């Protein structure tokens, strides 16, 4: 049994849904007066660094970790996580959307419970499109997006906002998914890095030129949260990012353009892959925790059907419920009515294929990441090179050459390249 006044320390990310969870957690502590909660809320890159260090060194600073689809199978394989098979009879694991659940499962066991799931899509201003005489296709090409962005840019509005902040889960999540649609890949079938190939040059050149011609002046410092703020302030005609943002950009409490937003699939180049990813921010318990039972109680509460209903009640809006995790939410008529983006979100999640993420064959699993332990460090280093190219402090050719060199060195040292 959870003992008297047990304190759970929860590490989480400063995204809107998690900030709301913290505010609503009184609902949990009222029902569980023997458990108190201590929150450590961090920016995305800082959170990743802190929880990775903590779990790798067995420091035991946290009882619950907010981690993603990348970490879960890798950490479960290392024995770093507790399997979540005691979330209660009413939890309904089978209700979890299959691609999301599969990404958090290792050897048939769930090792993290999804708090929200996402793919990516285009969010755009239908009023500005109409004014410019543009019509967004259901499945637009990158060429259409670039052409539209240039036409939509004005003195007051950027044509497009995209992630530029360095980080394997920031600019590299976007750029890796984008590169898939351009026919690029991180590695060939023998784990040889591919940044010296024309597909990566085409991806990075297109991205840098697009943001220079139609994006914000300081795009290299903008991640998810910065672009969300810009979009909600009416400063972006288009934004390609996580589907989870749809609930924020259509919320009149947060967005000045809430009634002017429409959605489309992430772009493609006609090669059969759209630039959409697959991710879930999830809650997990580190192995060796002395508070597993209390931690499981909290995780069961925060990722339950009842929690979604609580959010809808408190916010007065079903569209605010954490998206992308449960089939029952997408079958809920109240949610469908409140969330015009629901079907597109689900379609985007279901179409992302981590086992076949690229046009050409690859030896890895993962859409916007490569599911190997080395990726976290490599992804952030490559992200720094590409952010420099966007900022203009390095050429595109130099950034790609540096990426090729550092990834080759890491993969040779780790024994992938024979």
């Amino acid at each position: 049994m959870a003992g008297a006044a047990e304190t759970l320390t929860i590490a989480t990310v400063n995204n809107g849904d998690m900030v709301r969870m913290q505010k609503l957690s009184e609902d949990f502590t009222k029902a569980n007066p023997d458990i108190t909660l201590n929150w450590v809320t961090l920016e995305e890159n800082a959170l990743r660094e802190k929880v990775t260090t903590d779990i790798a060194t067995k420091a035991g600073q946290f009882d619950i970790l907010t981690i993603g689809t990348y970490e879960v199978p890798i950490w479960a394989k290392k024995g770093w996580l507790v399997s979540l098979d005691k979330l209660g009879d009413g939890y309904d694991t089978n209700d979890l959307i299959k691609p999301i659940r599969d990404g958090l499962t290792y050897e048939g066991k769930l090792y993290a419970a999804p708090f929200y799931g996402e793919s990516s899509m285009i969010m755009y201003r239908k009023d500005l499109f109409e004014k410019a005489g543009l019509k967004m296709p259901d499945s637009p090409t990158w060429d259409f997006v670039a052409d539209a962005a240039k036409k939509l840019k004005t003195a007051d509005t950027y044509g497009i906002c995209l992630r530029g902040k360095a980080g394997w889960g920031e600019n590299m999540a976007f750029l890796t998914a984008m590169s898939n649609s351009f026919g690029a890949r991180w590695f060939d079938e023998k784990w040889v890095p591919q940044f010296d190939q024309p597909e990566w040059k085409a991806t990075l050149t297109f991205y840098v030129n697009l943001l220079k011609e139609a994006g914000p002046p300081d795009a290299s410092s903008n991640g998810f949260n910065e672009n969300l703020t810009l979009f909600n302030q009416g400063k972006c005609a288009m934004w390609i990012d996580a589907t989870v943002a749809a609930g924020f950009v259509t919320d009149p409490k947060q967005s000045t353009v809430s009634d002017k937003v429409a959605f489309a699939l992430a772009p493609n180049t006609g090669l059969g892959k759209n630039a959409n990813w697959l991710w879930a921010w999830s809650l997990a318990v580190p192995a060796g925790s002395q508070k597993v039972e209390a931690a499981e109680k909290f995780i069961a509460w925060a990722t339950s059907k009842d929690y979604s209903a609580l959010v809808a009640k408190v916010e007065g809006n079903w569209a605010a419920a954490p998206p992308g995790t449960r089939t029952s939410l997408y079958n809920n008529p109240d949610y469908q009515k409140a969330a015009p983006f629901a079907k597109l979100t689900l379609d985007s999640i279901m179409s992302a294929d981590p086992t076949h993420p690229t046009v050409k064959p690859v030896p890895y699993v993962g859409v916007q990441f490569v599911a190997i332990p080395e990726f976290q460090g490599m992804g952030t280093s490559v992200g720094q090179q590409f952010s420099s190219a966007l900022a203009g402090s390095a050429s595109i050719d130099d950034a790609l050459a540096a990426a090729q060199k550092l990834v080759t060195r890491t993969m040779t040292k780790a024994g992938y390249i024979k």
Side-chain angles (χ1 to χ4, degrees):
M1 290 293 294
E6 207 163 14
T7 299
L8 293 175
T9 299
I10 304 170
T12 197
V13 66
N14 67 341
N15 291 351
D17 281 298
M18 274 69 174
V19 173
R20 184 187 287 130
M21 169 175 63
Q22 194 170 336
K23 286 178 186 164
L24 297 182
S25 60
E26 274 183 25
D27 179 85
F28 172 80
T29 51
K30 273 182 194 165
N32 297 275
D34 55 335
I35 300 172
T36 55
L37 306 175
N38 174 36
W39 295 87
V40 178
T41 308
L42 299 162
E43 180 271 334
E44 192 168 312
N45 288 340
L47 173 85
R48 289 194 162 111
E49 193 177 327
K50 201 166 184 79
V51 298
T52 302
T53 302
D54 186 77
I55 202 159
T57 58
K58 296 184 172 61
Q61 193 178 341
F62 306 113
D63 304 300
I64 295 173
L65 311 170
T66 303
I67 57 176
T69 309
Y70 164 72
E71 293 95 346
V72 176
I74 295 171
W75 292 7
K77 187 179 180 181
K78 289 177 181 281
W80 289 356
L81 301 174
V82 174
S83 66
L84 298 180
D85 39 20
K86 294 189 182 75
L87 294 177
D89 297 337
Y91 186 74
D92 195 3
T93 305
N94 291 329
D95 184 43
L96 299 175
I97 293 169
K98 192 174 184 302
I100 297 292
R101 187 180 72 219
D102 288 350
L104 305 175
T105 299
Y106 175 70
E107 292 187 342
K109 287 186 174 182
L110 192 71
Y111 278 87
F115 182 70
Y116 71 76
E118 65 182 36
S119 184
S120 51
M121 63 183 179
I122 304 175
M123 291 157 274
Y124 68 96
R125 289 277 300 282
K126 55 190 176 188
D127 58 326
L128 299 181
F129 264 69
E130 204 173 303
K131 192 177 167 187
L134 294 165
K135 185 171 173 16
M136 176 70 82
D138 291 336
S139 185
T141 62
W142 278 109
D143 284 340
F144 172 85
V145 167
D147 185 52
K150 289 167 202 167
K151 287 176 180 168
L152 291 161
K153 187 178 182 185
T154 67
D156 305 317
T157 313
Y158 307 120
I160 195 162
C161 293
L162 303 171
R163 295 186 188 192
K165 182 192 279 188
W168 70 265
E170 280 280 11
N171 66 338
M172 287 315 295
F174 178 83
L175 277 164
T176 300
M178 181 181 179
S179 77
N180 294 341
S181 70
F182 274 76
R185 50 190 176 165
W186 267 72
F187 303 103
D188 70 10
E189 291 161 285
K190 293 183 176 175
W191 291 104
V192 175
Q194 299 293 291
F195 294 103
D196 58 357
Q197 296 303 301
E199 294 88 351
W200 260 110
K201 183 163 183 180
T203 305
L204 192 60
T205 303
F206 192 95
Y207 163 82
V208 168
N209 289 345
L210 175 57
L211 279 170
K212 279 185 177 169
E213 290 170 21
D218 51 353
S220 61
S221 58
N222 292 344
F224 172 83
N225 282 328
E226 290 81 6
N227 284 324
L228 173 61
T229 300
L230 286 171
F231 193 92
N232 280 349
Q233 289 171 346
K235 302 277 179 64
C236 306
M238 281 186 284
W239 179 31
I240 304 170
D241 212 301
T243 52
V244 71
F248 302 128
V249 299
T250 55
D251 179 1
K253 292 179 193 168
Q254 302 181 52
S255 171
T256 61
V257 295
S258 60
D259 58 341
K260 300 178 176 73
V261 188
F263 307 92
L265 289 170
N268 63 72
T269 61
L271 296 176
K273 291 287 176 189
N274 285 35
N276 60 305
W277 62 65
L278 184 69
W279 184 257
W281 276 117
S282 307
L283 302 177
V285 183
S289 168
Q290 303 303 304
K291 302 171 186 174
V292 173
E293 190 180 334
E296 285 179 334
K297 268 188 191 176
F298 179 82
I299 290 172
W301 170 81
T303 62
S304 66
K305 296 175 194 177
D306 288 346
Y307 178 81
S308 293
L310 174 67
V311 172
K313 183 183 170 187
V314 170
E315 297 293 335
N317 182 7
W318 264 102
T325 64
R326 289 187 172 272
T327 304
S328 56
L329 183 67
Y330 290 85
N331 293 336
N332 180 333
D334 292 328
Y335 184 70
Q336 290 171 1
K337 190 177 170 186
F341 47 82
K343 186 179 184 301
L344 195 65
T345 295
L346 191 59
D347 288 348
S348 298
I349 287 171
M350 297 305 285
S351 69
D353 185 356
T355 57
H356 299 95
T358 52
V359 175
K360 295 177 181 176
V362 289
Y364 56 84
V365 170
V367 182
Q368 79 281 23
F369 57 81
V370 178
I372 56 174
E374 294 77 12
F375 179 77
Q376 188 164 350
M378 289 189 299
T380 295
S381 297
V382 171
Q384 287 161 351
Q385 298 297 332
F386 291 175
S387 195
S388 296
L390 179 59
S393 54
S395 70
I396 288 166
D397 285 343
D398 286 350
L400 289 164
Q404 181 72 10
K405 187 176 178 183
L406 71 88
V407 175
T408 302
R409 187 171 62 232
T410 302
M411 294 301 279
T412 304
K413 191 178 174 185
Y416 290 84
I417 301 173
K418 299 291 186 271

